[in-house]
Amino acid sequence: MTYDERNNGVIALLDPATQIKTRHLIDRCELVGLDFLIVSGFRFKNQQDALWEIGRIRPGNIVTYVRGGDSKHNYGVAIDFVPVVHRIAMGHLDDAKSSNVRAVLEWAATSEFRKIAAIAVDIGFEYLFPEWDKGHLEYTQGLSLSDLKDGKRPDERKAIREWKKDLTDQLEIAVRAYESPVVTARRKQSLLNFIKMLERKIVRIK
């Protein structure tokens, strides 16, 4: 991922279960070559109120419809992301690994938002506002805003189990493919590298 340091800073302030689920999402996106920057995570209530004032009390376009305390961001269970697309500068089209590869934040890349959101939903996130807040994801495990206000939070252990199971399922599929008699030697090497990467990821999860 391109923005690891910035993403890690945002993730560190999220609810523990949402931290795990966000890292799970990063893992899944990496496997298919998708990259994204997390532009917002946990917010204090006064920060949410300041956003609510834009377009109402302060100049600008409206950016949120909820005040402080009524946003899932205030409880660390929501993230906002923007896709990162890697583009090769003109004149270096044959050098994808060169320093001329630029990471571009694609705010208008609807298809990229949808691809990342589809993976997010598949692993347990909620994607509630694709039409007007297409980069917004929530991980609540079904908890309502009232539950969050009462101090309830998603189960961290459940998030860990889901992450491990997802990677383990992928590992089993890769191993079966590797053992297939019709797989070429070149493909076997690629699968072996993939298997080793998945094994490292599984071991890393605490």
Side-chain angles (χ1 to χ4, degrees):
M1 304 292 277
T2 301
Y3 293 94
D4 284 340
E5 186 173 343
R6 287 175 64 181
N7 282 347
N8 287 339
V10 177
I11 291 171
L13 298 178
L14 295 171
D15 167 79
T18 310
Q19 290 186 35
I20 293 162
K21 186 55 61 174
T22 303
R23 296 199 182 283
H24 184 178
L25 177 60
I26 288 172
D27 262 359
R28 279 287 296 271
C29 286
E30 281 183 337
L31 292 178
V32 294
L34 292 171
D35 197 354
F36 61 87
L37 170 67
I38 306 170
V39 293
S40 184
F42 171 77
R43 294 181 198 139
F44 291 104
K45 290 183 180 181
N46 64 329
Q47 293 174 317
Q48 185 69 32
D49 282 333
L51 289 175
W52 183 86
E53 290 174 359
I54 299 173
R56 296 180 177 87
I57 300 171
R58 295 192 286 146
N61 296 320
I62 289 176
V63 296
T64 184
Y65 293 94
V66 294
R67 292 177 181 264
D70 290 333
S71 169
K72 302 290 178 62
H73 285 283
N74 298 143
Y75 305 94
V77 297
I79 61 171
D80 294 333
F81 72 91
V82 59
V84 176
V85 177
H86 301 276
R87 300 190 184 283
I88 303 171
M90 294 301 293
H92 298 273
L93 298 181
D94 296 325
D95 189 5
K97 295 182 179 179
S98 77
S99 60
N100 292 283
V101 176
R102 297 182 297 117
V104 181
L105 300 180
E106 290 284 8
W107 296 93
T110 301
S111 64
E112 298 300 306
F113 275 103
R114 287 175 178 167
K115 290 174 186 176
I116 295 168
I119 294 172
V121 170
D122 185 55
I123 65 172
F125 274 99
E126 298 160 272
Y127 190 49
L128 303 175
F129 316 111
E131 298 303 320
W132 58 272
D133 200 358
K134 59 188 176 184
H136 179 83
L137 298 169
E138 299 177 2
Y139 183 66
T140 66
Q141 295 178 357
L143 295 175
S144 67
L145 183 59
S146 295
D147 291 329
L148 295 170
K149 288 182 177 182
D150 287 340
K152 296 180 181 178
R153 294 293 182 271
D155 184 349
E156 186 177 354
R157 293 166 299 177
K158 182 177 187 294
I160 292 173
R161 289 196 302 271
E162 290 172 345
W163 189 6
K164 280 190 173 182
K165 184 180 186 305
D166 186 22
L167 290 176
T168 301
D169 289 346
Q170 293 181 59
L171 178 60
E172 290 176 356
I173 293 170
V175 169
R176 286 200 299 270
Y178 178 80
E179 294 174 346
S180 171
V182 299
V183 176
T184 64
R186 183 176 180 180
R187 178 60 176 158
K188 274 186 175 291
Q189 185 58 53
S190 177
L191 282 167
L192 183 60
N193 293 338
F194 184 65
I195 288 167
K196 289 179 178 179
M197 178 189 67
L198 287 173
E199 288 174 339
R200 289 193 298 270
K201 287 179 179 291
I202 292 170
V203 169
R204 173 184 86 189
I205 301 171
K206 302 298 183 181

